[in-house]
Amino acid sequence: MVKKLGKLNIGKKLRNAKISVRVYLDNAATTPTDERVIKAMAPYFGKIYANPSALHAEGVAARAALSAAREKVARILQVRKEEIIFTSGGTESDNLAIQGVIRAARADGNKRPHIVTTAFEHSAVLETCKALEKEGVATTYIKPEKNGIVRPSDIKKAITKNTVLVSVMYAQSEIGTIQPIKEIARSIKEFKSARATTYNSFEPEGSQSQNGLQPTTYPLFHTDAAQAVNYLDICPNHLGVDLMTLAGSKIYGPKGSGILFVKHGTPILPVFYGGDQEGGLRPGTEPVYLAVGLAEALSIAAGMREKESKKLIGLRDYFITKLLSLSPRISLNGDVKWRVPNNVNICINGIDNEFFVIELDAKGIACATRSACKTNDEEGSHVILSLGKSKKEAKESIRFSLGRFTTKKEIDYTIGVIKNLLTTNN
């Protein structure tokens, strides 16, 4: 979103100009809340405010609204409403998916559970896996190719007889590359089919089933689809996933809202305890206003997906072309084609990305060096490093993420500012 740009002479040096413009190009971190979402939420702050678990009329009204929101989400995702778990956001959904599956596997007797994930997952996945490693859970981290895409064959090779979960992000949050989720799901299915043929003589290492789950139940497949919702097919049954993470803050919905899709029959246990809300997986009084807002945001995103994608692909490709033509110092991180429509991640040789982002901010442009959830790593972005690039390049990379309200005028303004900064900083 932007305040009045007015008539700008992009060719002039801008460092001494009085800047009243704000260009927001950090939509991958969080999006502004859509006014339609705010309107949908409004009644649930004051008029319909009761606890949905209460038996009185006010509670019944709140419960009806919560149920309607769940049904709305389920219709969009083409799943059962019982498979929708409302959470506080993507981080909680990732934690519940990973820790919940591990707990269920251990309860079933698997003493040495194994996870397969990638080296450039969101920190909500990576840090959860690292924490579980301290508890004896083995984790394999698959590196992507140089173009930022993981090969399904590498995932399949990493699966062992103790693997209980594969977790691969649908759209990479920093470089925007789209991962081959359907192909990975197919590889997992092939592994399960091969395992089924030897089931009678199969027994996982260190495992003795207590709950009657067959080894062919595993591995389960989880994807963090938070960055994909606005642009890609997110129907879990189309993708072939058992668990899927969504976040309201990425789709012009309310912050502090999220969803975990849990396919019917998926073995999963809660990670904290209290009431039996959300199928017993997410105890605590449900914030009805957040559920209503998230459902509305998801509905709007689904309705605008094709139109919005087409618009942003045009802006993205224009932006990339102009940037690469500015200087040989600029290169693109991630695949040119297989990336979400709103992502432009570049490396500018010779800059300090944090200082450059501050300079851009002074000129009215908001962007990022990396994921907003991981900003204290002195070595630079783990995502850029996972592509085989150097620590120097990791500290020279910047992410611009376009959004629903981004305009060509804003892109032209940004290009002009970058050109000026590169000229003055030589």
Side-chain angles (χ1 to χ4, degrees), residues 326-356:
L326 284 181
S327 169
R329 294 166 59 188
I330 300 177
S331 59
L332 184 69
N333 292 319
D335 195 82
V336 175
K337 180 181 179 182
W338 295 105
R339 68 192 305 129
V340 286
N342 74 325
N343 181 283
V344 177
N345 191 303
I346 58 171
C347 179
I348 306 178
N349 184 35
I351 68 159
D352 178 299
N353 59 1
E354 292 186 354
F355 182 70
F356 202 82

Side-chain angles (χ1 to χ4, degrees), residues 1-6 8 10 14 20-27 32 252 311-312 315 318-319 322-323 360 363-366 400-418:
M1 300 179 73
V2 61
K3 296 178 181 178
K4 291 182 180 180
L5 277 170
L8 295 170
I10 302 301
L14 297 171
S20 60
V21 60
R22 289 303 301 176
V23 177
Y24 187 72
L25 297 177
D26 198 20
N27 289 277
Y252 308 89
K311 170 201 166 184
L312 288 179
L315 285 176
Y318 172 78
F319 194 12
K322 288 290 186 179
L323 285 171
L360 288 171
K363 302 300 183 183
I365 300 164
F400 300 93
S401 46
L402 290 58
R404 185 172 294 168
F405 308 108
T406 303
T407 66
K408 183 175 180 295
K409 184 177 286 188
E410 292 178 313
I411 298 300
D412 284 333
Y413 174 75
T414 302
I415 292 165
V417 171
I418 293 173

Side-chain angles (χ1 to χ4, degrees), residues 32-64:
T33 306
D34 192 291
E35 290 182 2
R36 291 165 290 183
V37 172
I38 296 172
K39 183 177 179 180
M41 294 169 64
Y44 303 95
F45 288 101
K47 292 182 179 179
I48 306 172
Y49 53 83
N51 190 316
S53 299
L55 298 178
H56 47 63
E58 289 84 354
V60 170
R63 186 161 61 254

Side-chain angles (χ1 to χ4, degrees), residues 106-421:
R106 281 178 160 163
D108 192 49
N110 191 327
K111 298 177 182 178
R112 302 171 189 170
H114 173 240
I115 298 171
V116 176
T117 188
T118 76
F120 66 172
E121 291 295 307
H122 189 275
S123 57
V125 171
L126 292 181
E127 295 302 320
T128 302
C129 289
K130 290 176 182 178
L132 288 171
E133 285 177 13
K134 297 177 182 178
E135 300 175 13
V137 176
T139 307
T140 299
Y141 301 93
I142 304 298
K143 287 190 175 182
E145 297 294 292
K146 290 182 179 180
N147 66 349
I149 297 176
V150 172
R151 292 194 301 182
S153 58
D154 289 342
I155 297 291
K156 188 175 182 179
K157 288 177 185 176
I159 298 174
T160 72
K161 59 186 179 180
N162 279 337
T163 304
V164 297
L165 182 68
V166 174
S167 182
V168 179
M169 184 179 285
Y170 192 179
Q172 213 295 317
S173 57
E174 287 190 26
I175 57 174
T177 49
I178 301 169
Q179 304 308 310
I181 297 300
K182 291 183 180 180
E183 290 79 3
I184 294 171
R186 193 175 301 119
S187 295
I188 294 171
K189 185 176 180 180
E190 290 170 356
F191 178 88
K192 289 182 178 181
S193 295
R195 171 181 279 187
T197 61
T198 59
Y199 171 62
N200 289 336
S201 60
F202 176 87
E203 183 178 345
E205 183 182 349
S207 173
Q208 185 175 0
S209 179
Q210 297 174 358
N211 298 330
L213 290 175
Q214 298 183 359
T216 49
T217 301
Y218 298 108
L220 299 169
F221 188 19
H222 166 251
T223 187
D224 183 331
Q227 298 287 347
V229 181
N230 293 316
Y231 317 111
L232 305 175
D233 178 8
I234 56 164
C235 293
N237 293 326
H238 296 171
L239 298 174
V241 298
D242 302 291
L243 304 111
M244 183 173 72
T245 291
L246 305 177
S249 62
K250 313 300 183 184
I251 60 171
Y252 308 89
K255 283 82 175 168
S257 66
I259 292 167
L260 179 64
F261 160 77
V262 181
K263 187 176 181 179
H264 179 72
T266 297
I268 184 170
L269 292 175
V271 299
F272 58 99
Y273 300 89
D276 58 3
Q277 295 92 341
E278 298 302 307
L281 288 177
R282 211 278 180 171
T285 302
E286 301 97 334
V288 177
Y289 65 100
L290 291 178
V292 169
L294 178 52
E296 180 66 12
L298 187 61
S299 178
I300 293 169
M304 296 185 65
R305 184 173 294 138
E306 185 175 344
K307 181 179 179 180
E308 188 170 338
S309 294
K310 184 177 180 181
K311 170 201 166 184
L312 288 179
I313 286 172
L315 285 176
R316 178 201 67 190
D317 292 349
Y318 172 78
F319 194 12
I320 290 172
T321 300
K322 288 290 186 179
L323 285 171
L324 295 180
S325 69
L326 284 181
S327 169
R329 294 166 59 188
I330 300 177
S331 59
L332 184 69
N333 292 319
D335 195 82
V336 175
K337 180 181 179 182
W338 295 105
R339 68 192 305 129
V340 286
N342 74 325
N343 181 283
V344 177
N345 191 303
I346 58 171
C347 179
I348 306 178
N349 184 35
I351 68 159
D352 178 299
N353 59 1
E354 292 186 354
F355 182 70
F356 202 82
V357 165
I358 292 171
E359 287 190 298
L360 288 171
D361 184 54
K363 302 300 183 183
I365 300 164
C367 60
T369 59
R370 68 189 90 171
S371 171
C373 295
K374 199 70 174 175
T375 58
N376 296 322
D377 194 340
E378 295 182 357
E379 293 188 351
S381 167
H382 74 280
V383 174
I384 303 301
L385 292 172
S386 75
L387 304 180
K389 298 197 174 187
S390 66
K391 292 180 182 179
K392 177 177 177 293
E393 289 171 303
K395 293 182 180 180
E396 296 173 336
S397 294
I398 298 175
R399 179 187 69 184
F400 300 93
S401 46
L402 290 58
R404 185 172 294 168
F405 308 108
T406 303
T407 66
K408 183 175 180 295
K409 184 177 286 188
E410 292 178 313
I411 298 300
D412 284 333
Y413 174 75
T414 302
I415 292 165
V417 171
I418 293 173
K419 180 180 180 180
N420 185 70
L421 289 175

